[in-house]
Amino acid sequence: MKETNTIALPDNMEVEKIENGKIYLKEKKQELPKTWAECFRKTDKMEYIDEYSDIFPILSVDDGSDSYKNSLPKGLGKPMLALCQLLICRDVYRKGWKPDWEGNNLKYIIYYGAGKVYTDSSYHESYILSFQSEEIRNIFYNNFKHLIEEAKELL
């Protein structure tokens, strides 16, 4: 009978290959959330409730009503809601990464100018929608185009 050994792998790792008695691991490709609701479920909700306590009711309202519009200046209700949702989703996509605008690392950005939404990169100019890689920025852009369009005047 052949002896077998088992090992426990961290949740974020998987076996890439077994070669010459060695096991090679690789990081699992993690599926990024595709909706605002999925992003919110991945966060520490209490952190956001504490940080955004004044506006939190508008973040959680999704009952089809326009009740959040009364708490913001006229015309900013939907764009502000979209921006708040984008910021929370951005933080989920960043996975703890924070841009260093004084450093010489390239940041991948989404911004609004001249009547159009753009994707680009920047070293030192600060942008609210900035990401650690082009791939993550592009996935974010594709998944949240509708919210970006809604919030574009606030970007």
Coordinates of all heavy atoms in Angstrom, one line a residue, residues 4-67:
T4 N 0.5 8.0 1.8 CA 0.1 9.3 1.3 C 0.2 10.3 2.5 O -0.1 10.0 3.6 CB -1.3 9.4 0.8 OG1 -2.1 8.4 1.4 CG2 -1.4 9.4 -0.7
N5 N 0.7 11.5 2.1 CA 0.7 12.6 3.1 C -0.2 13.7 2.6 O -0.3 13.9 1.4 CB 2.2 13.1 3.2 CG 3.1 12.1 3.8 OD1 2.7 11.4 4.7 ND2 4.3 12.0 3.3
T6 N -0.8 14.4 3.5 CA -1.6 15.5 3.1 C -1.0 16.8 3.8 O -0.4 16.7 4.9 CB -3.1 15.3 3.6 OG1 -3.1 15.2 5.0 CG2 -3.7 14.2 2.9
I7 N -1.2 17.9 3.1 CA -0.8 19.1 3.7 C -1.9 20.1 3.5 O -2.7 20.0 2.6 CB 0.5 19.7 3.0 CG1 0.3 19.9 1.5 CG2 1.7 18.8 3.3 CD1 1.4 20.7 0.9
A8 N -2.0 21.0 4.5 CA -3.1 22.1 4.4 C -2.5 23.3 3.7 O -1.4 23.7 4.1 CB -3.6 22.4 5.8
L9 N -3.1 23.8 2.7 CA -2.7 25.0 2.0 C -3.4 26.2 2.5 O -4.6 26.1 2.8 CB -2.9 24.8 0.5 CG -2.2 23.7 -0.2 CD1 -2.6 23.6 -1.7 CD2 -0.7 23.9 -0.1
P10 N -2.8 27.3 2.5 CA -3.5 28.6 2.8 C -4.6 28.7 1.8 O -4.5 28.3 0.6 CB -2.5 29.7 2.6 CG -1.1 29.0 2.7 CD -1.4 27.6 2.2
D11 N -5.7 29.4 2.2 CA -6.9 29.6 1.3 C -6.5 30.3 0.0 O -7.2 30.0 -1.0 CB -7.9 30.4 2.0 CG -8.6 29.6 3.1 OD1 -8.5 28.4 3.1 OD2 -9.2 30.3 4.0
N12 N -5.5 31.1 -0.1 CA -5.2 31.8 -1.3 C -4.1 31.1 -2.2 O -3.7 31.7 -3.2 CB -4.6 33.2 -0.9 CG -3.3 33.2 -0.2 OD1 -3.0 32.2 0.5 ND2 -2.5 34.3 -0.3
M13 N -3.8 29.9 -1.8 CA -2.8 29.1 -2.6 C -3.4 27.8 -3.2 O -4.3 27.3 -2.6 CB -1.6 28.8 -1.7 CG -0.9 30.0 -1.1 SD -0.1 31.1 -2.3 CE 1.3 30.2 -2.8
E14 N -2.8 27.4 -4.3 CA -3.2 26.1 -4.9 C -1.9 25.5 -5.5 O -0.9 26.1 -5.7 CB -4.2 26.3 -6.0 CG -3.8 27.1 -7.2 CD -4.9 27.4 -8.1 OE1 -6.1 27.0 -7.9 OE2 -4.7 28.1 -9.2
V15 N -2.0 24.2 -5.8 CA -0.9 23.4 -6.3 C -0.8 23.8 -7.8 O -1.7 23.7 -8.6 CB -1.1 21.9 -6.1 CG1 0.1 21.2 -6.8 CG2 -1.1 21.6 -4.7
E16 N 0.4 24.2 -8.2 CA 0.7 24.5 -9.6 C 1.1 23.2 -10.3 O 0.6 22.9 -11.4 CB 1.7 25.6 -9.8 CG 2.0 26.0 -11.2 CD 3.0 27.1 -11.3 OE1 3.8 27.4 -10.4 OE2 3.0 27.8 -12.4
K17 N 2.1 22.6 -9.7 CA 2.6 21.3 -10.3 C 3.4 20.5 -9.2 O 3.8 21.1 -8.2 CB 3.5 21.6 -11.5 CG 4.7 22.3 -11.2 CD 5.6 22.6 -12.4 CE 6.8 23.4 -12.1 NZ 7.6 23.6 -13.2
I18 N 3.5 19.3 -9.5 CA 4.4 18.4 -8.6 C 5.4 17.8 -9.6 O 5.1 17.2 -10.6 CB 3.5 17.3 -7.9 CG1 2.4 17.9 -7.1 CG2 4.4 16.4 -7.2 CD1 1.5 16.9 -6.5
E19 N 6.7 18.1 -9.2 CA 7.7 17.7 -10.1 C 8.9 17.2 -9.3 O 9.4 17.9 -8.4 CB 8.1 18.9 -11.0 CG 9.1 18.6 -12.1 CD 9.3 19.8 -12.9 OE1 10.2 20.6 -12.6 OE2 8.5 20.0 -13.9
N20 N 9.5 16.0 -9.6 CA 10.6 15.5 -8.9 C 10.4 15.5 -7.4 O 11.3 15.8 -6.6 CB 11.9 16.2 -9.2 CG 12.2 16.1 -10.7 OD1 11.9 15.1 -11.3 ND2 12.8 17.2 -11.3
G21 N 9.2 15.1 -6.9 CA 9.0 15.1 -5.5 C 8.8 16.4 -4.8 O 8.6 16.5 -3.6
K22 N 8.8 17.5 -5.6 CA 8.6 18.8 -5.0 C 7.2 19.3 -5.5 O 6.7 19.1 -6.6 CB 9.6 19.8 -5.5 CG 11.0 19.5 -5.0 CD 12.0 20.6 -5.5 CE 13.4 20.2 -5.0 NZ 14.4 21.2 -5.4
I23 N 6.6 20.0 -4.5 CA 5.3 20.6 -4.8 C 5.4 22.1 -5.0 O 6.0 22.8 -4.2 CB 4.3 20.4 -3.6 CG1 4.1 18.9 -3.4 CG2 3.0 21.1 -3.9 CD1 3.4 18.5 -2.1
Y24 N 5.0 22.6 -6.1 CA 5.1 24.0 -6.5 C 3.7 24.6 -6.3 O 2.7 24.1 -6.9 CB 5.6 24.2 -7.9 CG 7.0 23.7 -8.1 CD1 7.2 22.4 -8.4 CD2 8.1 24.6 -7.9 CE1 8.5 21.9 -8.6 CE2 9.4 24.1 -8.0 CZ 9.6 22.8 -8.4 OH 10.9 22.4 -8.5
L25 N 3.6 25.7 -5.5 CA 2.4 26.4 -5.3 C 2.3 27.7 -6.1 O 3.3 28.3 -6.4 CB 2.2 26.7 -3.8 CG 2.3 25.5 -2.8 CD1 2.2 26.0 -1.4 CD2 1.3 24.5 -3.1
K26 N 1.1 28.1 -6.3 CA 0.8 29.4 -6.9 C -0.4 30.1 -6.2 O -1.2 29.4 -5.6 CB 0.6 29.3 -8.4 CG -0.7 28.6 -8.8 CD -0.8 28.6 -10.3 CE -2.1 27.9 -10.7 NZ -2.3 27.9 -12.1
E27 N -0.4 31.4 -6.3 CA -1.5 32.1 -5.7 C -2.7 31.9 -6.5 O -2.7 32.0 -7.8 CB -1.2 33.6 -5.5 CG -2.1 34.3 -4.6 CD -1.6 35.7 -4.3 OE1 -0.4 36.0 -4.5 OE2 -2.4 36.5 -3.8
K28 N -3.8 31.6 -5.9 CA -5.1 31.4 -6.6 C -5.5 32.8 -7.2 O -5.4 33.8 -6.5 CB -6.2 31.0 -5.7 CG -6.2 29.6 -5.3 CD -7.4 29.3 -4.4 CE -7.4 27.9 -3.8 NZ -8.5 27.6 -2.9
K29 N -6.0 32.7 -8.4 CA -6.5 34.0 -9.0 C -7.9 34.2 -8.3 O -8.8 33.4 -8.4 CB -6.7 33.8 -10.5 CG -7.2 35.0 -11.2 CD -6.8 35.0 -12.6 CE -7.3 36.3 -13.3 NZ -6.2 37.0 -13.8
Q30 N -7.9 35.3 -7.6 CA -9.1 35.6 -6.9 C -10.1 36.4 -7.8 O -9.7 37.4 -8.5 CB -8.8 36.4 -5.6 CG -8.0 35.6 -4.6 CD -7.8 36.4 -3.3 OE1 -8.0 37.6 -3.3 NE2 -7.3 35.7 -2.3
E31 N -11.3 36.0 -7.7 CA -12.4 36.7 -8.5 C -12.7 38.0 -7.8 O -13.0 38.0 -6.6 CB -13.6 35.8 -8.5 CG -14.6 36.1 -9.5 CD -14.1 35.9 -11.0 OE1 -13.3 35.1 -11.2 OE2 -14.7 36.6 -11.8
L32 N -12.6 39.1 -8.5 CA -13.0 40.4 -7.9 C -14.5 40.6 -8.1 O -15.1 40.1 -9.0 CB -12.2 41.5 -8.7 CG -10.7 41.5 -8.4 CD1 -10.0 42.4 -9.5 CD2 -10.4 42.0 -7.0
P33 N -15.1 41.3 -7.1 CA -16.5 41.5 -7.1 C -16.9 42.3 -8.4 O -16.1 43.2 -8.8 CB -16.8 42.3 -5.9 CG -15.5 42.6 -5.2 CD -14.4 41.9 -5.9
K34 N -18.1 42.0 -8.9 CA -18.5 42.7 -10.1 C -19.6 43.7 -9.9 O -20.0 44.4 -10.8 CB -19.0 41.6 -11.1 CG -17.9 40.8 -11.7 CD -18.5 39.7 -12.6 CE -17.4 39.0 -13.3 NZ -16.7 38.0 -12.6
T35 N -20.1 43.8 -8.6 CA -21.2 44.7 -8.3 C -20.9 45.4 -7.0 O -20.1 44.9 -6.2 CB -22.6 44.0 -8.2 OG1 -22.5 43.1 -7.0 CG2 -22.9 43.1 -9.4
W36 N -21.6 46.5 -6.8 CA -21.5 47.3 -5.6 C -21.9 46.4 -4.4 O -21.2 46.4 -3.4 CB -22.4 48.5 -5.7 CG -23.0 48.9 -4.4 CD1 -24.4 48.8 -4.0 CD2 -22.4 49.4 -3.2 NE1 -24.6 49.3 -2.8 CE2 -23.3 49.6 -2.2 CE3 -21.1 49.7 -2.9 CZ2 -23.1 50.1 -1.0 CZ3 -20.8 50.2 -1.6 CH2 -21.8 50.4 -0.7
A37 N -22.9 45.6 -4.5 CA -23.4 44.8 -3.4 C -22.3 43.7 -3.0 O -22.0 43.5 -1.9 CB -24.7 44.1 -3.7
E38 N -21.7 43.1 -4.0 CA -20.6 42.2 -3.8 C -19.4 42.8 -3.1 O -18.8 42.3 -2.2 CB -20.1 41.5 -5.1 CG -21.1 40.5 -5.7 CD -20.6 40.0 -7.0 OE1 -19.5 40.2 -7.4 OE2 -21.5 39.4 -7.7
C39 N -19.1 44.0 -3.5 CA -18.0 44.8 -2.9 C -18.3 45.0 -1.4 O -17.5 44.8 -0.5 CB -17.8 46.1 -3.5 SG -16.9 46.0 -5.1
F40 N -19.5 45.5 -1.2 CA -19.9 45.8 0.2 C -19.9 44.6 1.1 O -19.5 44.7 2.3 CB -21.3 46.5 0.2 CG -21.6 47.1 1.5 CD1 -20.8 48.2 2.0 CD2 -22.6 46.7 2.3 CE1 -21.1 48.8 3.2 CE2 -22.9 47.3 3.6 CZ -22.1 48.4 4.0
R41 N -20.3 43.4 0.6 CA -20.2 42.2 1.4 C -18.8 41.8 1.7 O -18.6 41.1 2.7 CB -20.9 41.1 0.6 CG -22.4 41.1 0.7 CD -23.1 39.8 0.3 NE -22.9 39.6 -1.1 CZ -23.7 40.0 -2.1 NH1 -24.8 40.7 -1.8 NH2 -23.5 39.7 -3.4
K42 N -17.8 42.2 0.9 CA -16.4 41.9 1.2 C -15.7 42.8 2.2 O -14.6 42.7 2.5 CB -15.6 41.9 -0.1 CG -15.9 40.7 -1.0 CD -15.0 40.6 -2.1 CE -15.1 39.4 -2.9 NZ -14.5 38.2 -2.4
T43 N -16.4 43.9 2.6 CA -15.8 44.9 3.5 C -16.1 44.6 4.9 O -17.0 43.9 5.3 CB -16.3 46.3 3.2 OG1 -17.7 46.4 3.4 CG2 -16.0 46.7 1.7
D44 N -15.4 45.3 5.8 CA -15.7 45.4 7.2 C -16.7 46.5 7.3 O -16.4 47.7 7.4 CB -14.5 45.7 8.0 CG -14.8 45.9 9.5 OD1 -16.0 45.8 9.9 OD2 -13.9 46.2 10.3
K45 N -18.0 46.1 7.3 CA -19.1 47.1 7.2 C -19.0 48.1 8.3 O -19.3 49.3 8.1 CB -20.4 46.4 7.2 CG -20.7 45.6 5.9 CD -21.8 44.7 6.1 CE -21.9 43.7 4.9 NZ -20.8 42.8 4.8
M46 N -18.6 47.7 9.5 CA -18.6 48.6 10.6 C -17.5 49.7 10.4 O -17.7 50.9 10.8 CB -18.3 47.9 11.9 CG -19.4 47.0 12.4 SD -21.0 47.9 12.4 CE -20.8 49.1 13.6
E47 N -16.4 49.4 9.7 CA -15.4 50.4 9.4 C -16.0 51.5 8.6 O -15.8 52.7 8.8 CB -14.3 49.7 8.7 CG -13.2 50.7 8.1 CD -12.3 50.0 7.2 OE1 -12.0 48.8 7.4 OE2 -11.8 50.6 6.3
Y48 N -16.8 51.1 7.6 CA -17.5 52.1 6.8 C -18.6 52.9 7.5 O -18.8 54.1 7.2 CB -17.9 51.5 5.4 CG -16.8 51.2 4.5 CD1 -16.3 49.9 4.4 CD2 -16.1 52.2 3.9 CE1 -15.2 49.6 3.6 CE2 -15.1 52.0 3.1 CZ -14.6 50.7 2.9 OH -13.5 50.4 2.1
I49 N -19.3 52.2 8.3 CA -20.4 52.8 9.1 C -19.7 53.9 9.9 O -20.2 55.0 10.0 CB -21.2 51.8 9.9 CG1 -22.0 51.0 9.0 CG2 -22.1 52.6 10.9 CD1 -22.7 49.8 9.6
D50 N -18.6 53.6 10.6 CA -18.0 54.6 11.4 C -17.4 55.7 10.6 O -17.6 56.9 10.9 CB -16.8 53.9 12.2 CG -17.3 53.0 13.3 OD1 -18.5 53.1 13.6 OD2 -16.5 52.2 13.8
E51 N -16.7 55.4 9.5 CA -16.0 56.4 8.7 C -17.0 57.3 8.0 O -16.8 58.5 7.8 CB -15.1 55.8 7.7 CG -14.2 56.7 7.0 CD -13.2 56.0 6.1 OE1 -13.0 54.8 6.3 OE2 -12.6 56.7 5.3
Y52 N -18.1 56.8 7.5 CA -19.1 57.5 6.7 C -20.4 57.6 7.4 O -21.5 57.6 6.8 CB -19.3 56.8 5.3 CG -18.0 56.7 4.5 CD1 -17.4 55.5 4.3 CD2 -17.4 57.9 4.0 CE1 -16.2 55.4 3.5 CE2 -16.3 57.8 3.2 CZ -15.7 56.5 3.0 OH -14.6 56.4 2.2
S53 N -20.4 57.7 8.7 CA -21.7 57.7 9.5 C -22.7 58.7 9.0 O -23.9 58.5 9.0 CB -21.4 57.8 11.0 OG -20.8 59.1 11.2
D54 N -22.2 59.9 8.6 CA -23.1 61.0 8.2 C -23.8 60.6 6.9 O -24.9 61.1 6.6 CB -22.4 62.3 8.0 CG -21.9 62.8 9.3 OD1 -22.5 62.4 10.4 OD2 -21.0 63.6 9.3
I55 N -23.2 59.9 6.0 CA -23.8 59.6 4.7 C -24.2 58.1 4.6 O -24.7 57.7 3.5 CB -22.8 60.0 3.5 CG1 -21.5 59.2 3.6 CG2 -22.6 61.4 3.5 CD1 -20.6 59.3 2.4
F56 N -23.9 57.3 5.6 CA -24.2 55.9 5.5 C -25.6 55.5 5.0 O -25.8 54.6 4.2 CB -23.8 55.1 6.7 CG -23.7 53.6 6.4 CD1 -22.7 53.1 5.8 CD2 -24.8 52.8 6.7 CE1 -22.6 51.7 5.5 CE2 -24.8 51.5 6.5 CZ -23.7 50.9 5.8
P57 N -26.6 56.3 5.5 CA -27.9 55.9 5.1 C -28.1 55.9 3.6 O -28.8 55.1 3.0 CB -28.8 57.0 5.8 CG -28.1 57.3 7.0 CD -26.6 57.3 6.6
I58 N -27.4 56.9 2.9 CA -27.6 56.9 1.4 C -26.8 55.8 0.8 O -27.1 55.3 -0.3 CB -27.1 58.2 0.8 CG1 -25.6 58.4 0.9 CG2 -27.9 59.4 1.4 CD1 -25.1 59.6 0.0
L59 N -25.8 55.2 1.5 CA -25.0 54.1 0.9 C -25.9 52.8 0.9 O -25.7 52.0 0.0 CB -23.8 53.8 1.7 CG -22.7 54.9 1.5 CD1 -21.5 54.5 2.4 CD2 -22.2 55.1 0.1
S60 N -26.7 52.7 1.9 CA -27.4 51.4 2.0 C -28.8 51.5 1.4 O -29.5 50.5 1.3 CB -27.5 51.0 3.5 OG -28.1 52.0 4.3
V61 N -29.3 52.7 1.1 CA -30.6 52.8 0.5 C -30.7 52.2 -0.9 O -29.9 52.6 -1.8 CB -31.1 54.3 0.4 CG1 -32.4 54.4 -0.4 CG2 -31.3 54.8 1.8
D62 N -31.4 51.2 -1.1 CA -31.6 50.6 -2.4 C -33.1 50.1 -2.5 O -33.3 49.0 -2.9 CB -30.6 49.5 -2.7 CG -30.6 49.1 -4.2 OD1 -31.2 49.9 -5.0 OD2 -30.0 48.1 -4.5
D63 N -34.0 50.9 -2.0 CA -35.4 50.5 -2.0 C -36.2 51.1 -3.1 O -37.4 51.0 -3.1 CB -36.0 50.8 -0.6 CG -35.9 52.3 -0.3 OD1 -35.5 53.1 -1.2 OD2 -36.3 52.7 0.8
G64 N -35.5 51.6 -4.1 CA -36.2 52.2 -5.2 C -36.7 53.7 -4.9 O -37.2 54.3 -5.8
S65 N -36.5 54.1 -3.7 CA -37.0 55.5 -3.4 C -35.9 56.5 -3.7 O -34.7 56.1 -3.9 CB -37.4 55.6 -1.9 OG -36.3 55.6 -1.1
D66 N -36.2 57.7 -3.6 CA -35.2 58.8 -3.8 C -34.9 59.5 -2.5 O -34.6 60.7 -2.5 CB -35.7 59.8 -4.8 CG -35.7 59.2 -6.3 OD1 -35.0 58.3 -6.5 OD2 -36.5 59.8 -7.1
S67 N -35.1 58.8 -1.4 CA -34.9 59.4 -0.1 C -33.6 60.1 0.2 O -33.4 61.0 0.9 CB -35.3 58.4 1.1 OG -34.4 57.4 1.0

